[in-house]
Amino acid sequence: MLQPLFLRLCLVSSAIAFILSPFQPLFALTLPKQNSQQPSKLKPHNTNSAKLKLYGGLKTRTPLVQWYLEELGVDYDYVSLDISANEQRQPEFLAINPMGKVPAIVDGDLKLWESGAILLYLAEKYQQMPQSLAERAKTTQWVIFANATLAPALFSPDKRQKEMPRLLTPINQILQKQSFILGEKLSAADIAIASYLYYAKLLVPLDLKEYPEVVKYLDRMAARLTFKKTMGKR
């Protein structure tokens, strides 16, 4: 009894070994090791390796774009145009901005002008925009406000007296609660708002004593090294 049973078990074991033998090399393969490196830092959405070019000139809005480029740590070339000699009206530059205005940038194949559009593009490219659509819209809102509402009110004598209390009072209230326009982190909105307020302090009779938080805000901005390198040299 035992001997036949033992023989049958041996035959079964041999058969199993024969069937599995072609798969043994597969079982011997080692699994690839998981990559233990940390994720790489965020990179610009635009992977074009050409250095960004910023076109500007004296007594223009160019320094506010320079300020943001410095804040972002972007390597760029600055091309200064002689505005008094109408270099911005030459065909070479009109191919970049047909309106003949600075600032303008060339970033790879992109030719972009209008300071607000450039700020928003840089914020998007270097991943400084919020994730949610609603928060992104707020950044856009403030940049457009700075260009379309705040700047005309600051630099138009007929509007300044009437508009300044309406505009600076809510900004002062916002800055009572937080360090920057959109919270506790500098954004493209601050570059736009602070730049125009700073320009106004230099160029027009502007009394900000009724807006102490705005004054403190501008002092904080002016203390930044990136500001001193750009806006502070005006």
Side-chain angles (χ1 to χ4, degrees), residues 127-141:
Q127 302 183 38
Q128 298 300 303
M129 291 289 269
Q131 292 296 316
S132 76
L133 178 61
E135 294 302 315
R136 293 160 74 87
K138 289 181 181 179
T139 303
T140 303
Q141 165 192 272

Side-chain angles (χ1 to χ4, degrees), residues 5 16 29 31 36 43-44 85 167 193-194 213 219 226:
L5 179 60
I16 293 173
L29 289 175
L31 293 174
S36 60
K43 296 180 179 180
L167 302 180
I193 297 291
E213 297 304 321
D219 288 343
T226 52

Side-chain angles (χ1 to χ4, degrees), residues 21-225:
S21 59
F23 297 95
Q24 286 177 351
L26 294 176
F27 295 145
L29 289 175
T30 56
L31 293 174
K33 294 181 180 179
Q34 295 293 324
N35 188 346
S36 60
Q37 295 180 348
Q38 294 296 322
S40 59
K41 293 182 179 179
L42 293 175
K43 296 180 179 180
H45 291 305
N46 183 349
T47 57
N48 193 307
S49 59
K51 190 185 291 187
L52 181 148
K53 285 187 178 181
L54 170 63
Y55 292 80
L58 295 175
K59 298 181 180 180
T60 68
R61 301 179 185 185
T62 307
L64 73 88
V65 176
Q66 288 180 295
W67 179 19
Y68 200 33
L69 286 167
E70 294 290 339
E71 287 284 350
L72 296 172
V74 177
D75 190 20
Y76 66 98
D77 287 329
Y78 177 55
V79 181
S80 180
L81 301 180
D82 187 345
I83 304 300
S84 63
N86 279 329
E87 285 188 350
Q88 78 280 12
R89 303 300 305 173
Q90 299 305 308
E92 293 83 1
F93 183 71
L94 291 176
I96 296 169
N97 180 3
M99 305 302 168
K101 300 287 187 179
V102 293
I105 64 169
V106 174
D107 192 17
D109 295 329
L110 174 68
K111 299 172 183 177
L112 189 65
W113 37 277
E114 281 295 328
S115 59
I118 296 170
L119 292 182
L120 292 171
Y121 167 73
L122 293 173
E124 185 74 40
K125 177 177 178 178
Y126 293 98
Q127 302 183 38
Q128 298 300 303
M129 291 289 269
Q131 292 296 316
S132 76
L133 178 61
E135 294 302 315
R136 293 160 74 87
K138 289 181 181 179
T139 303
T140 303
Q141 165 192 272
W142 279 103
V143 171
I144 293 175
F145 163 80
N147 284 274
T149 304
L150 181 62
L154 286 169
F155 299 106
S156 300
D158 57 330
K159 292 183 179 181
R160 191 180 308 128
Q161 186 174 0
K162 180 181 179 181
E163 291 294 317
M164 290 310 297
R166 296 178 180 178
L167 302 180
L168 289 187
T169 297
I171 292 176
N172 194 74
Q173 293 170 346
I174 289 170
L175 294 171
Q176 286 176 339
K177 303 173 184 177
Q178 55 203 41
S179 301
F180 300 100
I181 293 296
L182 291 173
E184 296 304 320
K185 181 181 177 182
L186 182 137
S187 70
D190 296 289
I191 302 295
I193 297 291
S195 293
Y196 287 120
L197 289 172
Y198 181 74
Y199 283 148
K201 281 183 62 178
L202 294 178
L203 302 174
V204 301
L206 184 65
D207 187 0
L208 295 175
K209 65 182 180 182
E210 295 184 16
Y211 314 102
E213 297 304 321
V214 172
V215 173
K216 294 176 187 176
Y217 172 69
L218 287 177
D219 288 343
R220 290 197 301 274
M221 295 299 176
R224 299 176 77 92
L225 180 60

